[in-house]
Amino acid sequence: MKETDKAVGIIGLGSYVPDKIVTNCDLEKTVATSDQWIVERTGIKERHIAEAGMTTSDMAARAAKEALKKAGVSAEEIDLIIVATVTPDMLFPSTSCLVQDKIKAVNAAAFDLAAGCSGFVYGLVTGSQFIKAGLYKKILVIGAETLSRIVDWTDRGTCILFGDGAGAAVLSELSPGFGLLGSELGADGSGGEFLKVSAGGSAMPASQETIDTRQHFLSMHGNEVFRFATKIMGEAANRALEAAGLTSEDVDCFVPHQANIRIIQSSARRLKIPMEKVFVNVEKYGNTSAASIPIAMEEAEREGRIKDGDVVVLVGFGAGLTWASCVLKWGKGE
Ligand code: COA
């Protein structure tokens, strides 16, 4: 999708990860795995895990406050809050409503968006349209997850992969030429079986049996997700670049969903983007699903890896199956 009319983009980023760190060596004590296996197959060394009592909305609110501060925007100025998450505090009210109350964004509408690990980019593209249409001026898009609460800590195939955290972005109108230049949102529902939490919804309400059979935990076909991810990351990024009238040679910083270093390296290869231009922090946080891209962007900007005028490409993939990519011209352009 080529972005036209008003220029819309990010004017402030924030992130939050819980203090508690669980290393691969810690996991060696609870499941049959090894630090070496996890590092070789995934690139992950440690992940941050929320203490009991800390919720998705708590982390989302902290990230949001930092993003507002950096943007120089007050909570009252926010017109809409979109929280991308697959680990809401509860089925309802939405996590975005809980965040609205926690940060006192009293003038904001609020809704959640469930697109798995693609959720933040889905939210970014969706939120931007409200500003382009003239309906809203300032929007908070947050990716926040407490995956540790839905991970089966007895399943070595999945428990090593995930972590908790939140990242937030304030969207606003920018000077022409800046912000969102192109994007692609996609889905293939036929792959829904590959990554899911089966129980707790209308198809399989909570019962003693669903608990006994561990169906409230995340289940995954790792190989199928891996195959899908390596193919779609490059394709989706290329189509967003094409929509923006750019090629991968124009990219200054590629910020992919942080799921697995091998998936990131493979998509960079397919895109012909050298690894020096790829931002990677999967070793520190694991896969934080919808939070991974905003956490990575915030860190990339703080470290000077993303600068004003840079062409930045974001691409995510995840449960659904879904994918989402976008091209941003960084900075406000004043
Ligand atoms: N420690 C040690 N051995 C493990 C292990 C662990 N944590 N997890 C799995 N294994 C074993 C398997 O049981 C298997 O053993 P077997 O050959 O005796 O059956 C062997 O390692 C190879 O398993 P396999 O699943 O083929 O490994 P892989 O190289 O495909 O890596 C993933 C597994 C999960 C790391 C990889 O498939 C992956 O990253 N997939 C994408 C997942 C993802 O990104 N999900 C989130 C999407 S948003």
Side-chain angles (χ1 to χ4, degrees):
M1 189 170 75
K2 184 174 168 54
E3 298 293 337
T4 50
D5 309 315
K6 264 184 212 168
V8 177
I10 295 169
I11 59 164
L13 286 166
S15 73
Y16 176 80
V17 290
D19 294 335
K20 184 178 167 191
I21 292 174
V22 173
T23 65
N24 293 347
C25 296
D26 293 330
L27 292 175
E28 283 178 0
K29 295 177 194 134
T30 54
V31 284
T33 191
S34 68
D35 175 51
Q36 191 191 351
W37 191 96
I38 301 172
V39 172
E40 277 176 18
R41 304 290 179 115
T42 71
I44 299 165
K45 293 183 179 154
E46 56 190 38
R47 65 288 292 142
H48 291 246
I49 299 294
E51 296 284 359
M54 175 169 280
T55 65
T56 297
S57 69
D58 291 333
M59 294 188 287
R62 289 186 194 209
K65 282 181 186 168
E66 187 188 324
L68 287 170
K69 199 168 162 204
K70 290 215 194 120
V73 168
S74 70
E76 295 77 34
E77 286 175 81
I78 295 296
D79 301 305
L80 172 66
I81 300 171
I82 301 174
V83 174
T85 188
V86 292
T87 47
D89 286 23
M90 56 193 95
L91 279 179
F92 62 85
S94 68
T95 301
S96 54
C97 283
L98 302 175
V99 172
Q100 189 238 29
D101 184 45
K102 283 180 181 167
I103 67 171
K104 302 286 173 244
V106 290
N107 298 309
F111 65 84
D112 285 4
L113 192 157
C117 307
S118 317
F120 178 81
V121 181
Y122 254 80
L124 185 61
V125 174
T126 304
S128 297
Q129 308 311 312
F130 285 94
I131 299 177
K132 282 176 188 282
L135 199 60
Y136 295 138
K137 287 191 161 44
K138 298 279 184 284
I139 295 179
L140 252 175
V141 180
I142 307 168
E145 304 283 8
T146 321
L147 290 157
S148 60
R149 305 272 159 76
I150 61 160
V151 159
D152 182 347
W153 290 100
T154 67
D155 174 15
R156 69 175 181 174
T158 53
C159 76
I160 56 141
L161 297 173
F162 299 99
D164 300 335
V170 178
L171 305 186
S172 172
E173 187 172 356
L174 305 173
S175 300
F178 285 80
L180 198 59
L181 304 180
S183 64
E184 174 169 286
L185 303 182
D188 175 8
S190 71
E193 287 293 310
F194 295 149
L195 185 53
K196 64 176 181 176
V197 174
S198 303
S202 60
M204 207 185 283
S207 68
Q208 192 57 51
E209 194 193 343
T210 61
I211 293 169
D212 292 344
T213 50
R214 307 184 80 74
Q215 301 211 63
H216 294 271
F217 291 122
L218 177 155
S219 67
M220 184 181 76
H221 295 257
N223 292 329
E224 276 82 356
V225 176
F226 192 94
R227 247 194 313 277
F228 161 71
T230 49
K231 181 170 175 287
I232 204 68
M233 295 268 272
E235 289 178 6
N238 263 332
R239 285 192 288 263
L241 280 163
E242 211 173 291
L246 300 171
T247 73
S248 59
E249 285 180 14
D250 300 307
V251 177
D252 297 299
C253 190
F254 178 44
V255 186
H257 170 46
Q258 308 285 314
N260 181 319
I261 188 65
R262 292 189 293 143
I263 295 173
I264 294 173
Q265 286 164 340
S266 157
S267 50
R269 242 185 340 264
R270 285 174 192 230
L271 279 164
K272 299 192 175 61
I273 296 178
M275 282 307 286
E276 305 87 79
K277 292 187 174 181
V278 182
F279 189 79
V280 178
N281 65 5
V282 70
E283 71 282 1
K284 289 192 283 185
Y285 307 112
N287 180 347
T288 58
S289 190
S292 102
I293 288 178
I295 288 174
M297 258 199 303
E298 193 279 330
E299 203 166 301
E301 190 188 42
R302 193 158 27 90
E303 291 178 4
R305 295 278 306 274
I306 301 178
K307 298 173 294 300
D308 282 6
D310 279 357
V311 171
V312 178
V313 171
L314 313 178
V315 55
F317 64 90
L321 298 170
T322 57
W323 63 91
S325 59
C326 72
V327 181
L328 300 165
K329 178 92 163 172
W330 205 255
K332 301 176 198 172
E334 299 139 337

